[in-house]
Amino acid sequence: MAEPRVVIIGAGVVGAALADELSARGWTEVTVVDQGPLPATGGSSSHAPGLVFQTNASKTMTELARYTVEKFSSLEVDGKPCFLQVGGLEVATGPERLAEIQRRHGWLTSWGVESRLLSPEECVERHPLVDRDKILGGLFVPTDGLAKAVLAVEAQIRRATERGVRFLARHEVLDIRRSDGRVTAVVTDHGEIDADIVVCCAGIWGPKIARMVGMNLPLTPLAHQLAWTGPVPALAGQTEEAVRPILRHQDADLYYRDRYDGLGIGYYGHRPMPVSADDILSVDEAEEMPSVLKFTEEDFEPAWTETQSLLPATQEAKVEEGINGLFSFTPDGYPLLGESPDVKGFWVAEAVWVTHSAGVGRAVAEWLVDGYCSSFDLHECDVNRFEPHQLSPEYVLARDCQNFVEVYDILHPLQPSGDPRPIRTSPFYARQQAHGAFFLEANGWERPQWYEANAPLVEGRTIPTPNDWAARYWSPIVGAEAQATRETIALYDMTALKRLEVTGPGAAAFLERLCTGKIDKSVGSVTYTLLLDHDGGIRSDITVARLARDRFQVGANGNLDLDWFSRHLPDDGTVQVRDITAGTCCIGLWGPLAREVLQPLTEADFSNDGLKYFRAKQAYLGSVPVTALRLSYVGELGWELYTTADQGLKLWDTLWAAAQPLGGIIAGRGAFNSLRLEKGYRSFGTDMTYEHDPYEAGVGFAVKLDKDDFIGKAALQRRKADVRRRLTCLTIDDPRAVVLGKEPVYDGEHAVGYVTSAAYGYTIGKGIAYAWLPAELAEPGRRVHIGYFDQRIEAVVAEEPLFDPTMSRLRG
């Protein structure tokens, strides 16, 4: 097969990295075009201050940054280094921030990046300009530092050029040609360039370029203030560009870097300043460069006042220059990577800051050359992760501005998102409000976490109160709802889970090809199965219910599952995939009295013989037609009950009227999560991701290697015999020591893994934490410790499931 012709739009730090990585893998039919001069093209890379802090709550983002550090550290241009590894220091000026940097230290330890917690005195030793009396402590990462972005662009351009890549400066992209749903050429003001693949690395111009192929890119350029002081007398005589660590004062939305005898000051504390990509000036029109706007001194005044307080030596200096520089923001703060769902061959690598640029270049190069990315788990970064409402201009602008405001905020894992809300509500929303639901958001849906109407259930129960951090967005009602579910019966709103319908004469064969389990079974069968990538990594876990010979309902995890299905549809039109989530709803009816609630409502047989575990049936409950799937994510007898959205409220009222006389309740997501962990059920995206295989994750039972070929089968057969890590159940005796996820796990003094999901088990009376550990440590009875802020919490490896190991409650 001939090597594809690739055109990369944008020669900034991302485009240059991608060209370098592609050519290193043997793809040299690559042309990079940019409207500006090289290597300083006028985009965000050209003015970026270059601070590379690797600390991130996302494992993927940390790993992308770590690779960027490693690569830039190896690059130079004419003897000038592309990275100054001076280290990174975050300081805390209040107790809440001090606890936060302890949590951040935990993330770095979990992800394998060296870091140290410092006393105030040690902070001042590292950065003598800091006022000792203003700080309570700090976090130091020795491998952080300053990226020389323009130099890094030049270094990577030189390497790629030596391998045959063409770089065309001063080429403005005017259009992208398409034929039969795929790209064919890029039109510039100097003519057309034929292309089989086009990758948009245009940064702040990304939305404008993407629109050329009809793609709606959820990205907003926002201005961010960067100022430079004149000489600081205390730094007089400094001949090296940077000798002190890059510094973050996140309590005041500030960061600092050396520049010889002066300082650079970055500020996020000002009002959001969004700019439309269409309004950004051209290279020739811009006074300095297109990504640089006029400095607004009044917005910077609080930053300068705070700087003089934290760094008293700056009181003898002045702010001599400043810019409002444009950077890209997205609704969830993650990059936008991947191929358009509608136009084959059009790819994006957008909303990528210098910090992650080389990592993204490698990730996208692997994805293009190999068909998948083996170095990084990209599910958080895939451009196709968004629901349709998340692409609306109003939503994108609101959330992007919110992410700018919160960039340095202390954010709890359950912290509710801001406006616009509510966006999506189930048919039961009014009833839930009437019961005092405390709502959090899930894929835009308002989803109850607990119900205040259940407060009387707490009386007489032992519901331990967790530590202060875990007690945020928590109520003892959560525990009462969990216990009541196991005692009687509860209704759970499951509408937020994505539902797909797969139909057509080729539907069964199509699903057999994509799924690890046997799908072509009798009508009424329900199968828990996995979707794998070609390297055997888990792309998703799903349930597939066969409702008719040529009709299947899929319980999916999100829009990436729909995208995966759509990309693998046969060309002959024998299979159709449709998202039916918005037009349907679902109630989980679970608990030991579930059958006593359901059976009197219908003539259909819901006895154990009438509808066995993991079987589906279509029936009427009262006047409501439902599709009933006998499965349970909480480990109790019951069903997922689906109907159309117009009849959802009637279904709710029918079930609620039948459940109340039996002591039934309605329950929220907090109880649900506790119950599912007691049962050992995995959550994709949290417990297992693209980087894990089924045997490591404990879901090997969902793989049928004796079936015909499926995507990932060959790779999985190779991986099966070499399981080096396992998703492991840990229990914690201390009832206040509830962890929340992403904390490091220690064997003695050595960090050996990290927590995924965690909650308190209100049935078993212990804390529960699932964690990735080396296989040799995943032995029941093994004692380990979890790093939680400044504590070490003892935990023990436990047999799973913790609740009902004989499955008698589910199958009864």
Side-chain angles (χ1 to χ4, degrees), residues 161-181:
T161 301
E162 289 173 359
R163 303 186 190 111
V165 174
R166 286 195 308 164
F167 286 83
L168 302 177
R170 295 285 185 175
H171 279 59
E172 182 182 358
V173 174
L174 304 176
D175 199 6
I176 298 171
R177 299 270 190 239
R178 292 168 282 166
S179 178
D180 296 326

Side-chain angles (χ1 to χ4, degrees), residues 391 442 445 454 613 665 718:
L391 301 177
W445 293 96
N454 289 330
Y613 187 52
I665 65 164
R718 294 190 297 269

Side-chain angles (χ1 to χ4, degrees), residues 479-533:
E481 289 178 357
Q483 292 178 354
T485 301
R486 297 241 187 264
E487 296 162 358
T488 55
I489 182 70
L491 278 66
Y492 287 84
D493 181 2
M494 304 298 290
T495 303
L497 300 182
K498 184 172 280 291
R499 293 170 290 286
L500 308 177
E501 185 179 70
V502 182
T503 57
F510 168 76
L511 289 168
E512 284 284 346
R513 170 68 179 149
L514 265 63
C515 297
T516 61
K518 184 69 174 173
I519 306 300
D520 193 2
K521 299 186 289 191
S522 62
V523 172
S525 63
V526 181
T527 306
Y528 173 80
T529 185
L530 308 172
L531 305 177
L532 303 182
D533 215 327

Side-chain angles (χ1 to χ4, degrees), residues 264-288:
I265 307 169
Y267 185 44
Y268 287 104
H270 55 79
R271 61 193 167 90
M273 304 178 193
V275 176
S276 169
D278 296 317
D279 294 335
I280 300 172
L281 297 177
S282 69
V283 173
D284 293 327
E285 292 173 323
E287 184 175 333
E288 183 175 350

